[in-house]
Amino acid sequence: MENKRVLGLSTRLLLFIIPIIAGSLLVSGILTGLYAERGVKKAMSRLTVYKAEDLTRHVSSQWNLLLENELQDDMAYLESLKRSISSYSITMLREDGEWILAVDEDLNIIFSVGASVADELLRESVLNNRPINSEDIWIDGKFGGKERFGYGFNLPALGWTVYITNLRRSFFDDLSYIRLNYTIMVILTAIISSLFILLYVRRSMRPLKTVINDMQGIVLNRDFGKRVSPVQNDEVGELARKFNLMSDYLERAMNRLIHIAHSQAEARIEIRNRERETLDVLSRVSDHKDPETARHTSRVGMYASVLSELRGDSLEEADLMRWAVPLHDIGKVGIPDVILLKEKGLTAKERAVMETHVSIGYEVLKDSASSILRAGADIALSHHEKWNGSGYPGGLKGKDIPVRGRITGLVDVFDALATARPYKKAWNFERSVEWIQERSGIDFDPEIVELFLNGKERMRTIYIEYGDDSSESVRESALS
Ligand SMILES: [Fe+2]
Ligand SMILES: [Fe+2]
C-alpha cells in the first residue's frame, strides 16, 4: 500500500498552532477594543453632560437674577445675559475642536464658540439633530461637516437649543492608535512564534534525523551488527532502543540463516562427492567386464568436458559431461561375456547382441532422479550414432544426434584409438587426432572436430596425465 504524502511536522505544527495564537490574540484584541470604546464613550458622555449641566446651572442663575429684578423683558439686560452665557461657554472650552453652539427656535445662531463652520452646513446639521419634545439628544456622527460627538439640550426659559460637541477623533484617535498597534503586535507575534516553532521543531527533529540516518545506513548496508545510538532519553531514544532490539533479533536470525546456508552447502558438497563416488563405482562396474580400462571411462569424461567447455556450454554442463560420459558403455554389463570378450570376428548375430548395450544402458539409467544419470541414459543411447547416419541404434543423422552423443562418440573413438587394447596396439596421439580429422563429416560432427583440433593441446595433457600406462612409451607416443 502506498503511503499518502503528508506535510512536514513543522508545517503541520505551524498550521495547527499559528491559528490558535493569532485567533486568541484577535479575540482578546477585539474584546479589549470594544471595552475600551465603551469606556471612552462613557467618559465622553459624562464630561459632556457635566458641561451641559454646568452651563444650564449658569444660565438658570443668570435668568433667575433677571426674574428677581423683573428685568426679563429688558432687551439690554437680555443682550448682556447672552454675552455672559457666551463668555461662560468660552471658559468651558478645553481644546481645539470643542464647540458650543446656541440657536433660537428659528435656528438663528445666538452664539457659537470654538469651531466655526459655514451657515448652510450648520443649519442642516442642527435641523437633523433637533431635540424633539424637549428631550435631549446625543450627537454621534456628521455635525457641522465633521465627525463629532456631543449633546444637544433645550434651555426652555430662553427658548434656545445648545449643542456642546467635540471632534470625534479627539476621543477616539488614541483608540485607533491602540488598535493599529495591537494588529501589528498580533502579526509580529505570529511571525516570531512561527520562527520559534520552526527552530524548536528543527532542534527537536535533529536527534530523530540522526536516528533515521543511522537506521538507513544499517538497513541499506545490511549491517545488522551495528547499533543506533540513543542520543537522548525520550521517545526518540526509545525508538532507537526498539530498533536496536530488532537489529539484535535480525542479526541472530541472519547468523542462523548463514549457519544453515553453510551447513546446507556442506551437505550439498557431501552429497555431490558421494554422487561422484557412486558414479565412479558405477562406471567401474561397466569397466569390470569390458576389455576397456577404468581409465578409459574417466578420460572420455575429461575430453568430453573440455569439448563442452570449448563449445561455450555452462560450467554445470561441462561438469555434467565429466560425470555422465563415463557411463556411455554401462549397458555392456548386460552383454554375455562370450560376445563381449571375443577379440575379433563377431558374427552378424553377435554384433546385433553387442549393439544392444546402448539400449540396455539407456533403459538402466533413463528413469533416474539424477540429472547426470538421465544425461548418461541419452549418451548411452546415442554414442554410436554417426554424423552420416550410418551409426546405431537409430541411424540418426547430423544434428538429429543429441550433442552429448556426438561429443561422446568422438572422444570414445579417439581414446580407443590412442590406447592399447588386448586385441590391438595403441596409435600414437597425432595419428589418432588425424583419424578424427579424416572422419569429420563422416562419423563426427565437423564443428566438434574443429573444437577438438582447437583444444588439441588440452587433450594431449589429459592423454599424458591420465594415460593407461605412465611408462615412457605413452609419453613418447604422445610427444612423437
Ligand atoms: Fe559403446
Ligand atoms: Fe567406450
Side-chain angles (χ1 to χ4, degrees):
M1 199 175 73
E2 200 180 321
N3 276 345
K4 225 170 82 182
R5 180 127 186 91
V6 292
L7 294 170
L9 188 60
S10 34
T11 318
R12 273 185 288 157
L13 212 57
L14 283 181
L15 287 179
F16 180 70
I17 289 179
I18 295 304
I20 293 179
I21 295 174
S24 49
L25 283 173
L26 271 177
V27 168
S28 72
I30 289 167
L31 286 178
T32 310
L34 284 177
Y35 282 118
E37 187 173 336
R38 216 169 75 166
V40 170
K41 265 190 180 168
K42 215 168 172 179
M44 216 160 64
S45 315
R46 278 187 187 161
L47 183 66
T48 314
V49 169
Y50 170 78
K51 285 186 176 176
E53 282 169 356
D54 190 28
L55 189 65
T56 308
R57 255 195 314 275
H58 177 75
V59 170
S60 296
S61 69
Q62 295 290 310
W63 181 249
N64 286 338
L65 212 61
L66 285 188
L67 285 181
E68 278 165 22
N69 295 292
E70 293 179 349
L71 293 169
Q72 69 270 27
D73 295 324
D74 189 316
M75 286 311 287
Y77 279 102
L78 275 176
E79 198 55 41
S80 151
L81 173 72
K82 206 191 287 178
R83 274 199 302 276
S84 151
I85 294 170
S86 170
S87 305
Y88 191 78
S89 296
I90 289 169
T91 64
M92 289 168 75
L93 298 177
R94 288 288 177 276
E95 56 184 309
D96 293 344
E98 264 189 293
W99 182 20
I100 301 175
L101 167 77
V103 292
D104 64 15
E105 281 159 351
D106 301 324
L107 300 186
N108 297 313
I109 293 174
I110 313 293
F111 65 85
S112 167
V113 296
S116 63
V117 285
D119 276 358
E120 273 313 302
L121 218 51
L122 187 62
R123 204 181 151 73
E124 192 188 324
S125 301
V126 172
L127 265 176
N128 289 337
N129 295 281
R130 293 210 68 162
I132 300 155
N133 303 329
S134 302
E135 289 286 325
D136 299 345
I137 185 172
W138 283 106
I139 294 157
D140 190 0
K142 272 263 189 281
F143 188 87
K146 287 187 174 158
E147 289 294 322
R148 286 181 168 274
F149 182 85
Y151 190 59
F153 60 99
N154 287 318
L155 289 175
L158 298 168
W160 297 353
T161 306
V162 180
Y163 297 94
I164 300 178
T165 68
N166 197 349
L167 290 174
R168 214 172 182 283
R169 64 176 156 77
S170 71
F171 293 101
F172 287 101
D173 260 7
D174 285 346
L175 201 61
S176 306
Y177 183 69
I178 289 169
R179 278 203 185 111
L180 179 70
N181 278 352
Y182 200 87
T183 310
I184 291 169
M185 199 180 77
V186 168
I187 293 167
L188 280 179
T189 309
I191 291 170
I192 291 168
S193 47
S194 301
L195 287 175
F196 271 110
I197 288 169
L198 276 178
L199 280 175
Y200 177 73
V201 170
R202 286 239 171 111
R203 220 183 132 76
S204 313
M205 291 286 279
R206 219 177 290 151
L208 185 63
K209 278 192 176 157
T210 311
V211 167
I212 289 172
N213 282 341
D214 284 0
M215 284 177 177
Q216 249 176 357
I218 290 170
V219 173
L220 288 179
N221 302 322
R222 310 269 192 280
D223 191 1
F224 295 109
K226 242 183 167 180
R227 293 290 172 268
V228 174
S229 40
V231 188
Q232 50 197 36
N233 202 14
D234 59 0
E235 289 86 347
V236 177
E238 190 57 27
L239 177 71
R241 276 187 287 277
K242 285 274 159 25
F243 182 83
N244 286 342
L245 275 180
M246 194 184 74
S247 293
D248 279 344
Y249 175 77
L250 280 176
E251 193 188 10
R252 281 201 302 277
M254 289 260 291
N255 286 340
R256 210 176 310 147
L257 280 178
I258 289 168
H259 179 72
I260 291 170
H262 275 303
S263 311
Q264 280 188 343
E266 278 169 15
R268 269 202 304 276
I269 291 168
E270 179 68 22
I271 290 168
R272 188 173 167 274
N273 289 343
R274 282 196 201 153
E275 190 188 30
R276 301 291 186 265
E277 197 186 337
T278 310
L279 288 169
D280 210 36
V281 170
L282 209 55
S283 304
R284 268 191 269 147
V285 167
S286 74
D287 294 337
H288 189 67
K289 283 171 66 183
D290 195 351
E292 292 178 338
T293 64
R295 287 197 172 189
H296 164 72
T297 50
S298 184
R299 269 193 312 268
V300 290
M302 292 185 211
Y303 290 135
S305 176
V306 170
L307 279 179
S308 173
E309 215 184 298
L310 292 171
R311 279 187 82 235
D313 291 341
S314 65
L315 284 179
E316 286 78 14
E317 174 66 13
D319 187 58
L320 180 137
M321 290 295 275
R322 166 66 188 85
W323 296 100
V325 168
L327 300 169
H328 64 283
D329 272 342
I330 197 165
K332 283 187 180 172
V333 293
I335 305 300
D337 287 358
V338 280
I339 297 170
L340 192 64
L341 301 174
K342 203 169 176 181
E343 292 194 357
K344 47 182 141 180
L346 286 179
T347 66
K349 208 176 165 188
E350 286 168 338
R351 183 166 297 280
V353 173
M354 183 66 179
E355 287 181 359
T356 58
H357 81 276
V358 298
S359 47
I360 294 170
Y362 175 73
E363 287 301 324
V364 168
L365 301 172
K366 73 176 176 22
D367 294 324
S368 171
S370 151
S371 57
I372 295 180
L373 293 184
R374 284 201 308 277
D378 291 333
I379 288 168
L381 191 65
S382 59
H383 76 282
H384 282 293
E385 298 286 2
K386 290 188 174 165
W387 185 254
N388 64 3
S390 65
Y392 68 89
L396 298 179
K397 225 173 163 178
K399 297 216 168 168
D400 287 344
I401 308 164
V403 66
R404 289 168 178 166
R406 275 180 267 152
I407 292 174
T408 309
L410 186 152
V411 296
D412 192 27
V413 169
F414 170 75
D415 196 71
L417 291 175
T419 51
R421 297 285 159 94
Y423 50 86
K424 73 164 192 67
K425 283 188 179 172
W427 286 5
N428 70 33
F429 182 82
E430 292 299 335
R431 175 74 191 97
S432 307
V433 173
E434 270 166 29
W435 171 259
I436 296 296
Q437 204 172 358
E438 281 165 27
R439 302 303 291 173
S440 174
I442 304 165
D443 294 344
F444 311 124
D445 177 351
E447 283 176 22
I448 295 175
V449 172
E450 199 172 327
L451 292 176
F452 183 79
L453 296 174
N454 291 342
K456 192 171 132 187
E457 290 317 308
R458 289 179 70 181
M459 304 302 170
R460 194 196 298 277
T461 309
I462 296 168
Y463 172 78
I464 297 170
E465 300 248 329
Y466 300 93
D468 275 343
D469 181 337
S470 56
S471 70
E472 287 303 310
S473 67
V474 169
R475 290 174 203 276
E476 278 162 18
S477 147
L479 298 168
S480 63

